[in-house]
mmCIF file of all heavy atoms in Angstrom:
data_model
loop_
_atom_site.group_PDB
_atom_site.id
_atom_site.type_symbol
_atom_site.label_atom_id
_atom_site.label_comp_id
_atom_site.label_asym_id
_atom_site.label_seq_id
_atom_site.Cartn_x
_atom_site.Cartn_y
_atom_site.Cartn_z
ATOM 1 N N PRO A 312 9.034 -130.376 -78.703
ATOM 2 C CA PRO A 312 9.960 -129.400 -79.290
ATOM 3 C C PRO A 312 9.375 -128.659 -80.479
ATOM 4 O O PRO A 312 9.753 -127.518 -80.746
ATOM 5 C CB PRO A 312 11.158 -130.249 -79.695
ATOM 6 C CG PRO A 312 10.614 -131.630 -79.856
ATOM 7 C CD PRO A 312 9.518 -131.750 -78.858
ATOM 8 N N THR A 313 8.505 -129.314 -81.221
ATOM 9 C CA THR A 313 7.830 -128.671 -82.347
ATOM 10 C C THR A 313 6.357 -129.057 -82.295
ATOM 11 O O THR A 313 5.953 -129.952 -81.546
ATOM 12 C CB THR A 313 8.419 -129.128 -83.689
ATOM 13 O OG1 THR A 313 8.086 -130.516 -83.919
ATOM 14 C CG2 THR A 313 9.934 -128.965 -83.717
ATOM 15 N N ALA A 314 5.571 -128.403 -83.114
ATOM 16 C CA ALA A 314 4.144 -128.714 -83.155
ATOM 17 C C ALA A 314 3.901 -130.110 -83.700
ATOM 18 O O ALA A 314 2.838 -130.690 -83.488
ATOM 19 C CB ALA A 314 3.420 -127.673 -84.009
ATOM 20 N N GLN A 315 4.903 -130.661 -84.408
ATOM 21 C CA GLN A 315 4.725 -131.967 -85.031
ATOM 22 C C GLN A 315 5.233 -133.128 -84.167
ATOM 23 O O GLN A 315 4.896 -134.285 -84.435
ATOM 24 C CB GLN A 315 5.447 -132.022 -86.388
ATOM 25 C CG GLN A 315 4.847 -131.140 -87.463
ATOM 26 C CD GLN A 315 5.181 -129.674 -87.269
ATOM 27 O OE1 GLN A 315 6.264 -129.341 -86.774
ATOM 28 N NE2 GLN A 315 4.246 -128.795 -87.625
ATOM 29 N N LEU A 316 6.047 -132.866 -83.174
ATOM 30 C CA LEU A 316 6.699 -133.936 -82.433
ATOM 31 C C LEU A 316 6.386 -133.826 -80.942
ATOM 32 O O LEU A 316 6.517 -132.763 -80.345
ATOM 33 C CB LEU A 316 8.215 -133.876 -82.631
ATOM 34 C CG LEU A 316 9.050 -134.952 -81.914
ATOM 35 C CD1 LEU A 316 8.681 -136.339 -82.411
ATOM 36 C CD2 LEU A 316 10.542 -134.685 -82.109
ATOM 37 N N ASP A 317 5.981 -134.935 -80.368
ATOM 38 C CA ASP A 317 5.669 -135.009 -78.947
ATOM 39 C C ASP A 317 6.417 -136.200 -78.354
ATOM 40 O O ASP A 317 6.311 -137.320 -78.853
ATOM 41 C CB ASP A 317 4.156 -135.178 -78.750
ATOM 42 C CG ASP A 317 3.740 -134.934 -77.307
ATOM 43 O OD1 ASP A 317 4.201 -135.673 -76.428
ATOM 44 O OD2 ASP A 317 2.925 -134.023 -77.072
ATOM 45 N N LEU A 318 7.189 -135.951 -77.282
ATOM 46 C CA LEU A 318 7.979 -136.992 -76.643
ATOM 47 C C LEU A 318 7.560 -137.128 -75.178
ATOM 48 O O LEU A 318 7.286 -136.119 -74.512
ATOM 49 C CB LEU A 318 9.471 -136.655 -76.700
ATOM 50 C CG LEU A 318 10.056 -136.361 -78.084
ATOM 51 C CD1 LEU A 318 11.492 -135.873 -77.945
ATOM 52 C CD2 LEU A 318 9.993 -137.600 -78.963
ATOM 53 N N GLY A 319 7.521 -138.351 -74.690
ATOM 54 C CA GLY A 319 7.127 -138.559 -73.298
ATOM 55 C C GLY A 319 7.878 -139.716 -72.665
ATOM 56 O O GLY A 319 8.223 -140.696 -73.328
ATOM 57 N N VAL A 320 8.157 -139.580 -71.375
ATOM 58 C CA VAL A 320 8.771 -140.641 -70.579
ATOM 59 C C VAL A 320 7.960 -140.773 -69.300
ATOM 60 O O VAL A 320 7.683 -139.769 -68.629
ATOM 61 C CB VAL A 320 10.239 -140.341 -70.235
ATOM 62 C CG1 VAL A 320 10.813 -141.431 -69.331
ATOM 63 C CG2 VAL A 320 11.082 -140.207 -71.488
ATOM 64 N N THR A 321 7.570 -141.992 -68.953
ATOM 65 C CA THR A 321 6.825 -142.246 -67.726
ATOM 66 C C THR A 321 7.469 -143.407 -66.984
ATOM 67 O O THR A 321 7.720 -144.467 -67.567
ATOM 68 C CB THR A 321 5.350 -142.586 -68.014
ATOM 69 O OG1 THR A 321 4.753 -141.544 -68.769
ATOM 70 C CG2 THR A 321 4.582 -142.771 -66.706
ATOM 71 N N GLY A 322 7.734 -143.204 -65.717
ATOM 72 C CA GLY A 322 8.271 -144.264 -64.874
ATOM 73 C C GLY A 322 7.401 -144.456 -63.650
ATOM 74 O O GLY A 322 6.900 -143.487 -63.069
ATOM 75 N N PHE A 323 7.221 -145.700 -63.273
ATOM 76 C CA PHE A 323 6.384 -146.023 -62.119
ATOM 77 C C PHE A 323 7.037 -147.142 -61.335
ATOM 78 O O PHE A 323 7.622 -148.068 -61.902
ATOM 79 C CB PHE A 323 4.993 -146.466 -62.579
ATOM 80 C CG PHE A 323 4.133 -147.018 -61.464
ATOM 81 C CD1 PHE A 323 3.423 -146.173 -60.633
ATOM 82 C CD2 PHE A 323 4.053 -148.387 -61.248
ATOM 83 C CE1 PHE A 323 2.637 -146.680 -59.603
ATOM 84 C CE2 PHE A 323 3.281 -148.902 -60.224
ATOM 85 C CZ PHE A 323 2.563 -148.053 -59.398
ATOM 86 N N MET A 324 6.959 -147.057 -60.005
ATOM 87 C CA MET A 324 7.483 -148.122 -59.157
ATOM 88 C C MET A 324 6.637 -148.215 -57.908
ATOM 89 O O MET A 324 6.288 -147.198 -57.289
ATOM 90 C CB MET A 324 8.946 -147.845 -58.767
ATOM 91 C CG MET A 324 9.574 -148.980 -57.970
ATOM 92 S SD MET A 324 9.687 -150.509 -58.934
ATOM 93 C CE MET A 324 9.908 -151.718 -57.640
ATOM 94 N N SER A 325 6.287 -149.449 -57.538
ATOM 95 C CA SER A 325 5.529 -149.679 -56.317
ATOM 96 C C SER A 325 6.023 -150.961 -55.670
ATOM 97 O O SER A 325 6.231 -151.966 -56.356
ATOM 98 C CB SER A 325 4.032 -149.794 -56.616
ATOM 99 O OG SER A 325 3.301 -150.116 -55.447
ATOM 100 N N LYS A 326 6.220 -150.923 -54.384
ATOM 101 C CA LYS A 326 6.583 -152.119 -53.642
ATOM 102 C C LYS A 326 5.704 -152.208 -52.401
ATOM 103 O O LYS A 326 5.488 -151.213 -51.707
ATOM 104 C CB LYS A 326 8.050 -152.112 -53.215
ATOM 105 C CG LYS A 326 8.450 -153.393 -52.471
ATOM 106 C CD LYS A 326 9.936 -153.458 -52.146
ATOM 107 C CE LYS A 326 10.269 -154.767 -51.436
ATOM 108 N NZ LYS A 326 11.701 -154.882 -51.107
ATOM 109 N N MET A 327 5.206 -153.398 -52.165
ATOM 110 C CA MET A 327 4.349 -153.612 -51.001
ATOM 111 C C MET A 327 4.932 -154.715 -50.130
ATOM 112 O O MET A 327 5.078 -155.855 -50.570
ATOM 113 C CB MET A 327 2.932 -153.993 -51.434
ATOM 114 C CG MET A 327 1.969 -154.133 -50.273
ATOM 115 S SD MET A 327 0.257 -154.359 -50.809
ATOM 116 C CE MET A 327 0.332 -156.032 -51.458
ATOM 117 N N ASN A 328 5.318 -154.358 -48.918
ATOM 118 C CA ASN A 328 5.718 -155.362 -47.936
ATOM 119 C C ASN A 328 4.456 -155.954 -47.325
ATOM 120 O O ASN A 328 3.568 -155.219 -46.884
ATOM 121 C CB ASN A 328 6.597 -154.728 -46.861
ATOM 122 C CG ASN A 328 7.934 -154.274 -47.413
ATOM 123 O OD1 ASN A 328 8.544 -154.954 -48.226
ATOM 124 N ND2 ASN A 328 8.394 -153.102 -46.986
ATOM 125 N N ALA A 329 4.389 -157.272 -47.324
ATOM 126 C CA ALA A 329 3.142 -157.930 -46.930
ATOM 127 C C ALA A 329 3.426 -159.167 -46.087
ATOM 128 O O ALA A 329 2.900 -160.258 -46.350
ATOM 129 C CB ALA A 329 2.324 -158.296 -48.169
ATOM 130 N N ALA A 330 4.269 -159.023 -45.075
ATOM 131 C CA ALA A 330 4.527 -160.149 -44.180
ATOM 132 C C ALA A 330 3.205 -160.654 -43.619
ATOM 133 O O ALA A 330 2.329 -159.870 -43.247
ATOM 134 C CB ALA A 330 5.462 -159.715 -43.053
ATOM 135 N N ASN A 331 3.042 -161.964 -43.536
ATOM 136 C CA ASN A 331 1.782 -162.529 -43.064
ATOM 137 C C ASN A 331 2.051 -163.752 -42.209
ATOM 138 O O ASN A 331 3.029 -164.473 -42.408
ATOM 139 C CB ASN A 331 0.861 -162.859 -44.239
ATOM 140 C CG ASN A 331 1.505 -163.759 -45.273
ATOM 141 O OD1 ASN A 331 1.302 -164.977 -45.280
ATOM 142 N ND2 ASN A 331 2.298 -163.171 -46.183
ATOM 143 N N TYR A 332 1.173 -163.967 -41.275
ATOM 144 C CA TYR A 332 1.348 -165.023 -40.278
ATOM 145 C C TYR A 332 0.001 -165.719 -40.109
ATOM 146 O O TYR A 332 -0.956 -165.125 -39.617
ATOM 147 C CB TYR A 332 1.827 -164.403 -38.967
ATOM 148 C CG TYR A 332 2.282 -165.382 -37.895
ATOM 149 C CD1 TYR A 332 2.771 -164.905 -36.689
ATOM 150 C CD2 TYR A 332 2.226 -166.762 -38.065
ATOM 151 C CE1 TYR A 332 3.208 -165.759 -35.684
ATOM 152 C CE2 TYR A 332 2.655 -167.632 -37.072
ATOM 153 C CZ TYR A 332 3.138 -167.129 -35.883
ATOM 154 O OH TYR A 332 3.558 -167.992 -34.900
ATOM 155 N N GLY A 333 -0.057 -166.981 -40.530
ATOM 156 C CA GLY A 333 -1.283 -167.749 -40.426
ATOM 157 C C GLY A 333 -1.176 -168.838 -39.372
ATOM 158 O O GLY A 333 -0.141 -169.502 -39.248
ATOM 159 N N ARG A 334 -2.246 -169.017 -38.615
ATOM 160 C CA ARG A 334 -2.302 -170.079 -37.608
ATOM 161 C C ARG A 334 -3.513 -170.951 -37.920
ATOM 162 O O ARG A 334 -4.637 -170.443 -38.038
ATOM 163 C CB ARG A 334 -2.450 -169.528 -36.193
ATOM 164 C CG ARG A 334 -1.314 -168.599 -35.737
ATOM 165 C CD ARG A 334 -1.560 -167.176 -36.149
ATOM 166 N NE ARG A 334 -0.739 -166.230 -35.396
ATOM 167 C CZ ARG A 334 -0.714 -164.930 -35.671
ATOM 168 N NH1 ARG A 334 -1.440 -164.433 -36.654
ATOM 169 N NH2 ARG A 334 0.037 -164.123 -34.947
ATOM 170 N N LEU A 335 -3.283 -172.228 -38.028
ATOM 171 C CA LEU A 335 -4.338 -173.190 -38.334
ATOM 172 C C LEU A 335 -4.451 -174.176 -37.178
ATOM 173 O O LEU A 335 -3.462 -174.761 -36.745
ATOM 174 C CB LEU A 335 -4.007 -173.941 -39.631
ATOM 175 C CG LEU A 335 -4.939 -175.095 -40.014
ATOM 176 C CD1 LEU A 335 -6.279 -174.553 -40.490
ATOM 177 C CD2 LEU A 335 -4.305 -175.964 -41.101
ATOM 178 N N ARG A 336 -5.671 -174.368 -36.692
ATOM 179 C CA ARG A 336 -5.907 -175.312 -35.587
ATOM 180 C C ARG A 336 -6.969 -176.294 -36.074
ATOM 181 O O ARG A 336 -8.156 -175.986 -36.094
ATOM 182 C CB ARG A 336 -6.363 -174.550 -34.361
ATOM 183 C CG ARG A 336 -6.367 -175.367 -33.067
ATOM 184 C CD ARG A 336 -6.602 -174.409 -31.914
ATOM 185 N NE ARG A 336 -6.641 -175.048 -30.607
ATOM 186 C CZ ARG A 336 -5.583 -175.398 -29.898
ATOM 187 N NH1 ARG A 336 -4.362 -175.210 -30.392
ATOM 188 N NH2 ARG A 336 -5.713 -175.944 -28.705
ATOM 189 N N SER A 337 -6.529 -177.469 -36.505
ATOM 190 C CA SER A 337 -7.433 -178.401 -37.188
ATOM 191 C C SER A 337 -7.741 -179.612 -36.324
ATOM 192 O O SER A 337 -6.939 -180.019 -35.479
ATOM 193 C CB SER A 337 -6.811 -178.854 -38.507
ATOM 194 O OG SER A 337 -5.640 -179.606 -38.272
ATOM 195 N N ASN A 338 -8.918 -180.172 -36.575
ATOM 196 C CA ASN A 338 -9.360 -181.390 -35.905
ATOM 197 C C ASN A 338 -9.500 -182.487 -36.946
ATOM 198 O O ASN A 338 -10.271 -182.359 -37.895
ATOM 199 C CB ASN A 338 -10.698 -181.146 -35.210
ATOM 200 C CG ASN A 338 -10.612 -180.002 -34.217
ATOM 201 O OD1 ASN A 338 -9.859 -180.064 -33.272
ATOM 202 N ND2 ASN A 338 -11.376 -178.948 -34.469
ATOM 203 N N ALA A 339 -8.754 -183.555 -36.797
ATOM 204 C CA ALA A 339 -8.616 -184.583 -37.833
ATOM 205 C C ALA A 339 -9.679 -185.664 -37.677
ATOM 206 O O ALA A 339 -9.409 -186.782 -37.227
ATOM 207 C CB ALA A 339 -7.211 -185.189 -37.792
ATOM 208 N N LEU A 340 -10.917 -185.342 -38.053
ATOM 209 C CA LEU A 340 -12.026 -186.277 -37.845
ATOM 210 C C LEU A 340 -11.823 -187.573 -38.612
ATOM 211 O O LEU A 340 -12.096 -188.669 -38.099
ATOM 212 C CB LEU A 340 -13.341 -185.610 -38.268
ATOM 213 C CG LEU A 340 -13.633 -184.229 -37.676
ATOM 214 C CD1 LEU A 340 -14.976 -183.729 -38.165
ATOM 215 C CD2 LEU A 340 -13.591 -184.269 -36.161
ATOM 216 N N ASN A 341 -11.368 -187.472 -39.843
ATOM 217 C CA ASN A 341 -11.180 -188.662 -40.666
ATOM 218 C C ASN A 341 -10.113 -189.571 -40.076
ATOM 219 O O ASN A 341 -10.285 -190.792 -39.977
ATOM 220 C CB ASN A 341 -10.822 -188.254 -42.089
ATOM 221 C CG ASN A 341 -10.807 -189.412 -43.048
ATOM 222 O OD1 ASN A 341 -9.871 -190.201 -43.055
ATOM 223 N ND2 ASN A 341 -11.841 -189.530 -43.870
ATOM 224 N N SER A 342 -8.988 -189.008 -39.668
ATOM 225 C CA SER A 342 -7.915 -189.811 -39.082
ATOM 226 C C SER A 342 -8.381 -190.476 -37.792
ATOM 227 O O SER A 342 -8.046 -191.632 -37.514
ATOM 228 C CB SER A 342 -6.692 -188.935 -38.802
ATOM 229 O OG SER A 342 -6.066 -188.539 -39.998
ATOM 230 N N MET A 343 -9.131 -189.769 -36.968
ATOM 231 C CA MET A 343 -9.639 -190.348 -35.731
ATOM 232 C C MET A 343 -10.489 -191.588 -36.015
ATOM 233 O O MET A 343 -10.349 -192.619 -35.348
ATOM 234 C CB MET A 343 -10.459 -189.302 -34.967
ATOM 235 C CG MET A 343 -9.657 -188.121 -34.450
ATOM 236 S SD MET A 343 -10.723 -186.726 -33.966
ATOM 237 C CE MET A 343 -11.727 -187.497 -32.688
ATOM 238 N N LEU A 344 -11.391 -191.484 -36.982
ATOM 239 C CA LEU A 344 -12.274 -192.605 -37.294
ATOM 240 C C LEU A 344 -11.512 -193.780 -37.892
ATOM 241 O O LEU A 344 -11.935 -194.936 -37.754
ATOM 242 C CB LEU A 344 -13.371 -192.141 -38.254
ATOM 243 C CG LEU A 344 -14.420 -191.207 -37.645
ATOM 244 C CD1 LEU A 344 -15.278 -190.577 -38.739
ATOM 245 C CD2 LEU A 344 -15.313 -191.952 -36.650
ATOM 246 N N ARG A 345 -10.395 -193.512 -38.536
ATOM 247 C CA ARG A 345 -9.612 -194.590 -39.155
ATOM 248 C C ARG A 345 -8.524 -195.125 -38.240
ATOM 249 O O ARG A 345 -7.739 -195.980 -38.639
ATOM 250 C CB ARG A 345 -8.994 -194.083 -40.460
ATOM 251 C CG ARG A 345 -10.029 -193.767 -41.528
ATOM 252 C CD ARG A 345 -9.395 -193.214 -42.783
ATOM 253 N NE ARG A 345 -8.487 -194.183 -43.384
ATOM 254 C CZ ARG A 345 -7.714 -193.923 -44.447
ATOM 255 N NH1 ARG A 345 -7.743 -192.713 -44.985
ATOM 256 N NH2 ARG A 345 -6.921 -194.845 -44.941
ATOM 257 N N GLY A 346 -8.448 -194.614 -37.039
ATOM 258 C CA GLY A 346 -7.456 -195.112 -36.099
ATOM 259 C C GLY A 346 -6.043 -194.729 -36.443
ATOM 260 O O GLY A 346 -5.098 -195.479 -36.190
ATOM 261 N N LEU A 347 -5.879 -193.538 -37.001
ATOM 262 C CA LEU A 347 -4.553 -193.048 -37.381
ATOM 263 C C LEU A 347 -4.116 -191.968 -36.408
ATOM 264 O O LEU A 347 -4.890 -191.071 -36.061
ATOM 265 C CB LEU A 347 -4.578 -192.493 -38.811
ATOM 266 C CG LEU A 347 -5.047 -193.464 -39.901
ATOM 267 C CD1 LEU A 347 -5.096 -192.764 -41.254
ATOM 268 C CD2 LEU A 347 -4.141 -194.674 -39.965
ATOM 269 N N ALA A 348 -2.865 -192.037 -35.997
ATOM 270 C CA ALA A 348 -2.354 -191.106 -34.990
ATOM 271 C C ALA A 348 -1.554 -189.977 -35.616
ATOM 272 O O ALA A 348 -0.539 -189.532 -35.081
ATOM 273 C CB ALA A 348 -1.504 -191.853 -33.969
ATOM 274 N N GLY A 349 -1.986 -189.512 -36.761
ATOM 275 C CA GLY A 349 -1.299 -188.421 -37.432
ATOM 276 C C GLY A 349 -1.887 -188.213 -38.808
ATOM 277 O O GLY A 349 -2.853 -188.880 -39.207
ATOM 278 N N PRO A 350 -1.332 -187.270 -39.586
ATOM 279 C CA PRO A 350 -1.792 -187.061 -40.953
ATOM 280 C C PRO A 350 -1.719 -188.348 -41.752
ATOM 281 O O PRO A 350 -0.817 -189.165 -41.568
ATOM 282 C CB PRO A 350 -0.818 -186.005 -41.491
ATOM 283 C CG PRO A 350 -0.291 -185.338 -40.277
ATOM 284 C CD PRO A 350 -0.233 -186.385 -39.220
ATOM 285 N N GLN A 351 -2.664 -188.537 -42.659
ATOM 286 C CA GLN A 351 -2.721 -189.784 -43.404
ATOM 287 C C GLN A 351 -1.524 -189.939 -44.324
ATOM 288 O O GLN A 351 -1.044 -188.996 -44.925
ATOM 289 C CB GLN A 351 -4.013 -189.840 -44.224
ATOM 290 C CG GLN A 351 -5.252 -189.886 -43.346
ATOM 291 C CD GLN A 351 -6.499 -190.010 -44.168
ATOM 292 O OE1 GLN A 351 -6.510 -190.726 -45.149
ATOM 293 N NE2 GLN A 351 -7.549 -189.312 -43.766
ATOM 294 N N GLY A 352 -1.080 -191.170 -44.466
ATOM 295 C CA GLY A 352 0.056 -191.479 -45.318
ATOM 296 C C GLY A 352 0.710 -192.767 -44.867
ATOM 297 O O GLY A 352 0.382 -193.335 -43.820
ATOM 298 N N GLY A 353 1.653 -193.265 -45.646
ATOM 299 C CA GLY A 353 2.263 -194.557 -45.367
ATOM 300 C C GLY A 353 2.990 -194.611 -44.045
ATOM 301 O O GLY A 353 3.076 -195.660 -43.406
ATOM 302 N N ALA A 354 3.524 -193.466 -43.590
ATOM 303 C CA ALA A 354 4.307 -193.460 -42.354
ATOM 304 C C ALA A 354 3.487 -193.039 -41.140
ATOM 305 O O ALA A 354 4.021 -192.862 -40.064
ATOM 306 C CB ALA A 354 5.503 -192.524 -42.505
ATOM 307 N N THR A 355 2.172 -192.892 -41.323
ATOM 308 C CA THR A 355 1.347 -192.430 -40.219
ATOM 309 C C THR A 355 1.255 -193.494 -39.132
ATOM 310 O O THR A 355 0.905 -194.639 -39.416
ATOM 311 C CB THR A 355 -0.066 -192.089 -40.723
ATOM 312 O OG1 THR A 355 0.028 -191.009 -41.640
ATOM 313 C CG2 THR A 355 -0.971 -191.678 -39.570
ATOM 314 N N PRO A 356 1.519 -193.150 -37.870
ATOM 315 C CA PRO A 356 1.379 -194.141 -36.799
ATOM 316 C C PRO A 356 -0.088 -194.419 -36.489
ATOM 317 O O PRO A 356 -0.981 -193.735 -36.987
ATOM 318 C CB PRO A 356 2.080 -193.462 -35.618
ATOM 319 C CG PRO A 356 1.945 -192.001 -35.901
ATOM 320 C CD PRO A 356 2.016 -191.859 -37.392
ATOM 321 N N LEU A 357 -0.323 -195.413 -35.676
ATOM 322 C CA LEU A 357 -1.681 -195.842 -35.351
ATOM 323 C C LEU A 357 -2.044 -195.413 -33.941
ATOM 324 O O LEU A 357 -1.194 -195.269 -33.063
ATOM 325 C CB LEU A 357 -1.790 -197.364 -35.471
ATOM 326 C CG LEU A 357 -1.323 -197.971 -36.810
ATOM 327 C CD1 LEU A 357 -1.441 -199.486 -36.752
ATOM 328 C CD2 LEU A 357 -2.106 -197.400 -37.963
ATOM 329 N N THR A 358 -3.332 -195.182 -33.726
ATOM 330 C CA THR A 358 -3.798 -194.880 -32.385
ATOM 331 C C THR A 358 -3.658 -196.108 -31.500
ATOM 332 O O THR A 358 -3.791 -197.242 -31.963
ATOM 333 C CB THR A 358 -5.263 -194.430 -32.421
ATOM 334 O OG1 THR A 358 -6.034 -195.416 -33.131
ATOM 335 C CG2 THR A 358 -5.419 -193.099 -33.127
ATOM 336 N N SER A 359 -3.380 -195.860 -30.242
ATOM 337 C CA SER A 359 -3.189 -196.980 -29.322
ATOM 338 C C SER A 359 -3.526 -196.544 -27.910
ATOM 339 O O SER A 359 -3.086 -195.482 -27.462
ATOM 340 C CB SER A 359 -1.748 -197.486 -29.364
ATOM 341 O OG SER A 359 -1.541 -198.507 -28.412
ATOM 342 N N SER A 360 -4.328 -197.367 -27.211
ATOM 343 C CA SER A 360 -4.670 -197.117 -25.814
ATOM 344 C C SER A 360 -4.443 -198.402 -25.037
ATOM 345 O O SER A 360 -5.048 -199.439 -25.348
ATOM 346 C CB SER A 360 -6.130 -196.669 -25.690
ATOM 347 O OG SER A 360 -6.475 -196.438 -24.341
ATOM 348 N N ASN A 361 -3.527 -198.316 -24.087
ATOM 349 C CA ASN A 361 -3.175 -199.491 -23.288
ATOM 350 C C ASN A 361 -2.735 -200.659 -24.174
ATOM 351 O O ASN A 361 -3.116 -201.810 -23.953
ATOM 352 C CB ASN A 361 -4.353 -199.903 -22.405
ATOM 353 C CG ASN A 361 -4.761 -198.807 -21.434
ATOM 354 O OD1 ASN A 361 -3.896 -198.149 -20.830
ATOM 355 N ND2 ASN A 361 -6.061 -198.594 -21.283
ATOM 356 N N GLY A 362 -1.938 -200.320 -25.215
ATOM 357 C CA GLY A 362 -1.403 -201.337 -26.098
ATOM 358 C C GLY A 362 -2.375 -201.865 -27.134
ATOM 359 O O GLY A 362 -2.032 -202.792 -27.893
#
Side-chain angles (χ1 to χ4, degrees):
T313 69
Q315 292 76 33
L316 180 62
D317 193 298
L318 306 173
V320 176
T321 304
F323 171 83
M324 184 64 198
S325 176
K326 182 175 181 180
M327 184 172 71
N328 293 320
N331 54 98
Y332 190 178
R334 300 86 162 174
L335 174 72
R336 192 170 180 81
S337 65
N338 303 299
L340 309 181
N341 188 284
S342 290
M343 294 164 60
L344 289 168
R345 294 178 62 185
L347 303 177
Q351 295 183 39
T355 296
L357 307 178
T358 53
S359 176
S360 179
N361 299 318

